[in-house]
Amino acid sequence: MKKAESEYTIFDWWKKVVFENFANFSGRARRKEYWSFQLVNILLIIIPYIFLIISVFSNRGELGAIGILSAFLLVFIVLGTFVPSLAVVVRRLHDTNRSGWNFLLGLVPFFGGLILLYFYFSDGSVGRNSYGNDPKRPHNEISEIGVVQE
């Protein structure tokens, strides 16, 4: 049985991005979906990275068996979440009514990253925008009767 989004944990949001929206570059992703995905991704990357560093220091600069396993796991995680990471970034930008191509602002040293961070923290546009319905407030025709459209 599928849970309602209001009952999602951060791991449910991560699974939604990775398994349900693996390469979905259309539509919108709310802030909760984006930041939950990023947090779990960071945690998944830090754990093997710590084991890799411990292995290098405990074996006097050489990789031991745990280090090699950690390195393979790290590469597997990074490559496995690369496309979903791009997809959720594009959908997050869509939620703020911006093109996914704005992601290329990250190539501008220092200021590009700050501008993107501002976009990622910004609240999504209310209601339907150029990229789809509002994921935070699903479309409800009954509650919009009598509301003047701009």
Side-chain angles (χ1 to χ4, degrees), residues 89-115:
V89 163
V90 168
R91 286 186 288 109
R92 179 70 202 124
L93 289 168
H94 286 175
D95 192 40
T96 60
N97 209 19
R98 292 179 176 86
S99 169
W101 289 105
N102 281 308
F103 179 63
L104 296 177
L105 283 171
L107 298 175
V108 176
F110 188 67
F111 293 111
L114 291 177
I115 292 168

mmCIF file of all heavy atoms in Angstrom, residues 89-115:
data_model
loop_
_atom_site.group_PDB
_atom_site.id
_atom_site.type_symbol
_atom_site.label_atom_id
_atom_site.label_comp_id
_atom_site.label_asym_id
_atom_site.label_seq_id
_atom_site.Cartn_x
_atom_site.Cartn_y
_atom_site.Cartn_z
ATOM 1 N N VAL A 89 17.356 17.952 -9.362
ATOM 2 C CA VAL A 89 17.773 19.355 -9.461
ATOM 3 C C VAL A 89 16.931 20.076 -10.511
ATOM 4 O O VAL A 89 16.426 21.177 -10.284
ATOM 5 C CB VAL A 89 19.284 19.465 -9.784
ATOM 6 C CG1 VAL A 89 19.641 20.840 -10.290
ATOM 7 C CG2 VAL A 89 20.109 19.128 -8.561
ATOM 8 N N VAL A 90 16.772 19.444 -11.668
ATOM 9 C CA VAL A 90 15.982 20.055 -12.742
ATOM 10 C C VAL A 90 14.536 20.241 -12.296
ATOM 11 O O VAL A 90 13.937 21.307 -12.482
ATOM 12 C CB VAL A 90 16.064 19.212 -14.037
ATOM 13 C CG1 VAL A 90 15.039 19.652 -15.059
ATOM 14 C CG2 VAL A 90 17.468 19.277 -14.607
ATOM 15 N N ARG A 91 13.966 19.219 -11.651
ATOM 16 C CA ARG A 91 12.579 19.332 -11.191
ATOM 17 C C ARG A 91 12.434 20.361 -10.074
ATOM 18 O O ARG A 91 11.410 21.032 -9.963
ATOM 19 C CB ARG A 91 12.039 17.966 -10.760
ATOM 20 C CG ARG A 91 11.758 17.080 -11.959
ATOM 21 C CD ARG A 91 11.098 15.756 -11.645
ATOM 22 N NE ARG A 91 12.027 14.836 -10.997
ATOM 23 C CZ ARG A 91 11.962 14.470 -9.729
ATOM 24 N NH1 ARG A 91 10.991 14.888 -8.961
ATOM 25 N NH2 ARG A 91 12.851 13.644 -9.225
ATOM 26 N N ARG A 92 13.480 20.519 -9.238
ATOM 27 C CA ARG A 92 13.444 21.552 -8.191
ATOM 28 C C ARG A 92 13.448 22.946 -8.822
ATOM 29 O O ARG A 92 12.721 23.843 -8.396
ATOM 30 C CB ARG A 92 14.642 21.389 -7.247
ATOM 31 C CG ARG A 92 14.715 22.418 -6.160
ATOM 32 C CD ARG A 92 13.591 22.227 -5.131
ATOM 33 N NE ARG A 92 13.371 23.463 -4.420
ATOM 34 C CZ ARG A 92 12.209 24.087 -4.338
ATOM 35 N NH1 ARG A 92 11.132 23.561 -4.865
ATOM 36 N NH2 ARG A 92 12.095 25.222 -3.729
ATOM 37 N N LEU A 93 14.271 23.132 -9.852
ATOM 38 C CA LEU A 93 14.271 24.414 -10.560
ATOM 39 C C LEU A 93 12.926 24.656 -11.246
ATOM 40 O O LEU A 93 12.426 25.785 -11.262
ATOM 41 C CB LEU A 93 15.420 24.462 -11.566
ATOM 42 C CG LEU A 93 16.813 24.570 -10.952
ATOM 43 C CD1 LEU A 93 17.887 24.319 -12.000
ATOM 44 C CD2 LEU A 93 17.018 25.915 -10.273
ATOM 45 N N HIS A 94 12.318 23.602 -11.773
ATOM 46 C CA HIS A 94 10.991 23.727 -12.381
ATOM 47 C C HIS A 94 9.966 24.186 -11.343
ATOM 48 O O HIS A 94 9.063 24.955 -11.671
ATOM 49 C CB HIS A 94 10.529 22.404 -12.973
ATOM 50 C CG HIS A 94 11.219 22.032 -14.241
ATOM 51 N ND1 HIS A 94 10.989 20.822 -14.865
ATOM 52 C CD2 HIS A 94 12.121 22.682 -15.016
ATOM 53 C CE1 HIS A 94 11.715 20.759 -15.967
ATOM 54 N NE2 HIS A 94 12.422 21.872 -16.077
ATOM 55 N N ASP A 95 10.105 23.730 -10.109
ATOM 56 C CA ASP A 95 9.158 24.104 -9.064
ATOM 57 C C ASP A 95 9.206 25.607 -8.794
ATOM 58 O O ASP A 95 8.212 26.198 -8.398
ATOM 59 C CB ASP A 95 9.433 23.319 -7.779
ATOM 60 C CG ASP A 95 8.311 23.450 -6.768
ATOM 61 O OD1 ASP A 95 7.133 23.429 -7.178
ATOM 62 O OD2 ASP A 95 8.609 23.576 -5.567
ATOM 63 N N THR A 96 10.359 26.229 -9.003
ATOM 64 C CA THR A 96 10.482 27.684 -8.818
ATOM 65 C C THR A 96 10.241 28.415 -10.135
ATOM 66 O O THR A 96 10.569 29.584 -10.255
ATOM 67 C CB THR A 96 11.867 28.047 -8.240
ATOM 68 O OG1 THR A 96 12.877 27.610 -9.148
ATOM 69 C CG2 THR A 96 12.074 27.423 -6.871
ATOM 70 N N ASN A 97 9.668 27.712 -11.118
ATOM 71 C CA ASN A 97 9.332 28.237 -12.442
ATOM 72 C C ASN A 97 10.569 28.716 -13.210
ATOM 73 O O ASN A 97 10.548 29.731 -13.892
ATOM 74 C CB ASN A 97 8.279 29.345 -12.356
ATOM 75 C CG ASN A 97 7.429 29.408 -13.603
ATOM 76 O OD1 ASN A 97 7.362 28.452 -14.376
ATOM 77 N ND2 ASN A 97 6.778 30.533 -13.824
ATOM 78 N N ARG A 98 11.652 27.970 -13.069
ATOM 79 C CA ARG A 98 12.883 28.259 -13.806
ATOM 80 C C ARG A 98 13.235 27.050 -14.663
ATOM 81 O O ARG A 98 12.929 25.918 -14.314
ATOM 82 C CB ARG A 98 14.025 28.546 -12.837
ATOM 83 C CG ARG A 98 13.830 29.828 -12.072
ATOM 84 C CD ARG A 98 14.970 30.067 -11.095
ATOM 85 N NE ARG A 98 14.825 31.339 -10.443
ATOM 86 C CZ ARG A 98 14.106 31.537 -9.346
ATOM 87 N NH1 ARG A 98 13.469 30.537 -8.779
ATOM 88 N NH2 ARG A 98 14.030 32.737 -8.809
ATOM 89 N N SER A 99 13.928 27.310 -15.734
ATOM 90 C CA SER A 99 14.360 26.239 -16.622
ATOM 91 C C SER A 99 15.429 25.385 -15.934
ATOM 92 O O SER A 99 16.225 25.883 -15.134
ATOM 93 C CB SER A 99 14.939 26.845 -17.901
ATOM 94 O OG SER A 99 15.596 25.863 -18.657
ATOM 95 N N GLY A 100 15.465 24.111 -16.278
ATOM 96 C CA GLY A 100 16.498 23.219 -15.745
ATOM 97 C C GLY A 100 17.889 23.624 -16.206
ATOM 98 O O GLY A 100 18.885 23.272 -15.569
ATOM 99 N N TRP A 101 17.961 24.363 -17.296
ATOM 100 C CA TRP A 101 19.260 24.822 -17.796
ATOM 101 C C TRP A 101 19.918 25.808 -16.841
ATOM 102 O O TRP A 101 21.121 26.075 -16.933
ATOM 103 C CB TRP A 101 19.112 25.443 -19.188
ATOM 104 C CG TRP A 101 18.809 24.418 -20.234
ATOM 105 C CD1 TRP A 101 17.609 24.192 -20.838
ATOM 106 C CD2 TRP A 101 19.712 23.449 -20.768
ATOM 107 N NE1 TRP A 101 17.712 23.144 -21.718
ATOM 108 C CE2 TRP A 101 19.000 22.674 -21.698
ATOM 109 C CE3 TRP A 101 21.054 23.165 -20.552
ATOM 110 C CZ2 TRP A 101 19.580 21.629 -22.415
ATOM 111 C CZ3 TRP A 101 21.633 22.126 -21.271
ATOM 112 C CH2 TRP A 101 20.895 21.379 -22.179
ATOM 113 N N ASN A 102 19.160 26.362 -15.897
ATOM 114 C CA ASN A 102 19.752 27.240 -14.880
ATOM 115 C C ASN A 102 20.773 26.498 -14.024
ATOM 116 O O ASN A 102 21.570 27.113 -13.340
ATOM 117 C CB ASN A 102 18.668 27.846 -13.980
ATOM 118 C CG ASN A 102 17.977 29.000 -14.647
ATOM 119 O OD1 ASN A 102 18.616 29.935 -15.125
ATOM 120 N ND2 ASN A 102 16.665 28.937 -14.695
ATOM 121 N N PHE A 103 20.717 25.167 -14.076
ATOM 122 C CA PHE A 103 21.707 24.365 -13.353
ATOM 123 C C PHE A 103 23.126 24.705 -13.799
ATOM 124 O O PHE A 103 24.078 24.588 -13.034
ATOM 125 C CB PHE A 103 21.412 22.878 -13.554
ATOM 126 C CG PHE A 103 22.367 21.968 -12.870
ATOM 127 C CD1 PHE A 103 22.482 21.960 -11.494
ATOM 128 C CD2 PHE A 103 23.173 21.101 -13.596
ATOM 129 C CE1 PHE A 103 23.366 21.112 -10.847
ATOM 130 C CE2 PHE A 103 24.061 20.253 -12.961
ATOM 131 C CZ PHE A 103 24.155 20.267 -11.585
ATOM 132 N N LEU A 104 23.272 25.150 -15.039
ATOM 133 C CA LEU A 104 24.592 25.517 -15.558
ATOM 134 C C LEU A 104 25.174 26.754 -14.871
ATOM 135 O O LEU A 104 26.356 27.042 -15.024
ATOM 136 C CB LEU A 104 24.526 25.725 -17.075
ATOM 137 C CG LEU A 104 24.168 24.477 -17.877
ATOM 138 C CD1 LEU A 104 24.054 24.806 -19.348
ATOM 139 C CD2 LEU A 104 25.185 23.371 -17.639
ATOM 140 N N LEU A 105 24.349 27.462 -14.100
ATOM 141 C CA LEU A 105 24.879 28.576 -13.300
ATOM 142 C C LEU A 105 25.938 28.085 -12.313
ATOM 143 O O LEU A 105 26.801 28.846 -11.893
ATOM 144 C CB LEU A 105 23.754 29.265 -12.512
ATOM 145 C CG LEU A 105 22.843 30.190 -13.290
ATOM 146 C CD1 LEU A 105 21.659 30.603 -12.431
ATOM 147 C CD2 LEU A 105 23.610 31.404 -13.769
ATOM 148 N N GLY A 106 25.875 26.806 -11.966
ATOM 149 C CA GLY A 106 26.862 26.217 -11.065
ATOM 150 C C GLY A 106 28.271 26.258 -11.633
ATOM 151 O O GLY A 106 29.246 26.113 -10.897
ATOM 152 N N LEU A 107 28.402 26.467 -12.928
ATOM 153 C CA LEU A 107 29.725 26.566 -13.550
ATOM 154 C C LEU A 107 30.375 27.927 -13.314
ATOM 155 O O LEU A 107 31.572 28.077 -13.512
ATOM 156 C CB LEU A 107 29.624 26.292 -15.059
ATOM 157 C CG LEU A 107 29.132 24.904 -15.446
ATOM 158 C CD1 LEU A 107 28.954 24.814 -16.952
ATOM 159 C CD2 LEU A 107 30.082 23.832 -14.944
ATOM 160 N N VAL A 108 29.573 28.918 -12.916
ATOM 161 C CA VAL A 108 30.117 30.238 -12.611
ATOM 162 C C VAL A 108 30.749 30.156 -11.218
ATOM 163 O O VAL A 108 30.068 29.817 -10.250
ATOM 164 C CB VAL A 108 29.016 31.324 -12.638
ATOM 165 C CG1 VAL A 108 29.566 32.680 -12.234
ATOM 166 C CG2 VAL A 108 28.355 31.371 -13.997
ATOM 167 N N PRO A 109 32.047 30.451 -11.110
ATOM 168 C CA PRO A 109 32.718 30.325 -9.809
ATOM 169 C C PRO A 109 32.037 31.158 -8.720
ATOM 170 O O PRO A 109 31.672 32.309 -8.953
ATOM 171 C CB PRO A 109 34.132 30.829 -10.077
ATOM 172 C CG PRO A 109 34.319 30.708 -11.548
ATOM 173 C CD PRO A 109 32.956 30.894 -12.153
ATOM 174 N N PHE A 110 31.878 30.556 -7.566
ATOM 175 C CA PHE A 110 31.356 31.139 -6.328
ATOM 176 C C PHE A 110 29.913 31.628 -6.450
ATOM 177 O O PHE A 110 29.027 31.089 -5.816
ATOM 178 C CB PHE A 110 32.269 32.250 -5.817
ATOM 179 C CG PHE A 110 31.873 32.738 -4.438
ATOM 180 C CD1 PHE A 110 31.995 31.913 -3.344
ATOM 181 C CD2 PHE A 110 31.339 33.989 -4.274
ATOM 182 C CE1 PHE A 110 31.610 32.341 -2.079
ATOM 183 C CE2 PHE A 110 30.936 34.427 -3.020
ATOM 184 C CZ PHE A 110 31.080 33.609 -1.932
ATOM 185 N N PHE A 111 29.662 32.656 -7.258
ATOM 186 C CA PHE A 111 28.334 33.258 -7.302
ATOM 187 C C PHE A 111 27.291 32.331 -7.916
ATOM 188 O O PHE A 111 26.129 32.358 -7.517
ATOM 189 C CB PHE A 111 28.373 34.592 -8.071
ATOM 190 C CG PHE A 111 29.171 35.638 -7.359
ATOM 191 C CD1 PHE A 111 30.381 36.063 -7.869
ATOM 192 C CD2 PHE A 111 28.738 36.179 -6.164
ATOM 193 C CE1 PHE A 111 31.135 37.016 -7.219
ATOM 194 C CE2 PHE A 111 29.477 37.131 -5.492
ATOM 195 C CZ PHE A 111 30.683 37.548 -6.025
ATOM 196 N N GLY A 112 27.682 31.521 -8.882
ATOM 197 C CA GLY A 112 26.742 30.593 -9.494
ATOM 198 C C GLY A 112 26.179 29.614 -8.479
ATOM 199 O O GLY A 112 24.975 29.352 -8.450
ATOM 200 N N GLY A 113 27.058 29.079 -7.628
ATOM 201 C CA GLY A 113 26.609 28.157 -6.586
ATOM 202 C C GLY A 113 25.696 28.825 -5.579
ATOM 203 O O GLY A 113 24.716 28.224 -5.110
ATOM 204 N N LEU A 114 26.001 30.069 -5.235
ATOM 205 C CA LEU A 114 25.145 30.806 -4.290
ATOM 206 C C LEU A 114 23.771 31.084 -4.884
ATOM 207 O O LEU A 114 22.755 30.977 -4.195
ATOM 208 C CB LEU A 114 25.820 32.119 -3.876
ATOM 209 C CG LEU A 114 27.052 31.991 -3.002
ATOM 210 C CD1 LEU A 114 27.665 33.355 -2.733
ATOM 211 C CD2 LEU A 114 26.702 31.311 -1.682
ATOM 212 N N ILE A 115 23.746 31.432 -6.164
ATOM 213 C CA ILE A 115 22.458 31.677 -6.827
ATOM 214 C C ILE A 115 21.638 30.393 -6.855
ATOM 215 O O ILE A 115 20.440 30.400 -6.548
ATOM 216 C CB ILE A 115 22.681 32.228 -8.249
ATOM 217 C CG1 ILE A 115 23.286 33.634 -8.178
ATOM 218 C CG2 ILE A 115 21.376 32.249 -9.036
ATOM 219 C CD1 ILE A 115 23.802 34.156 -9.504
#
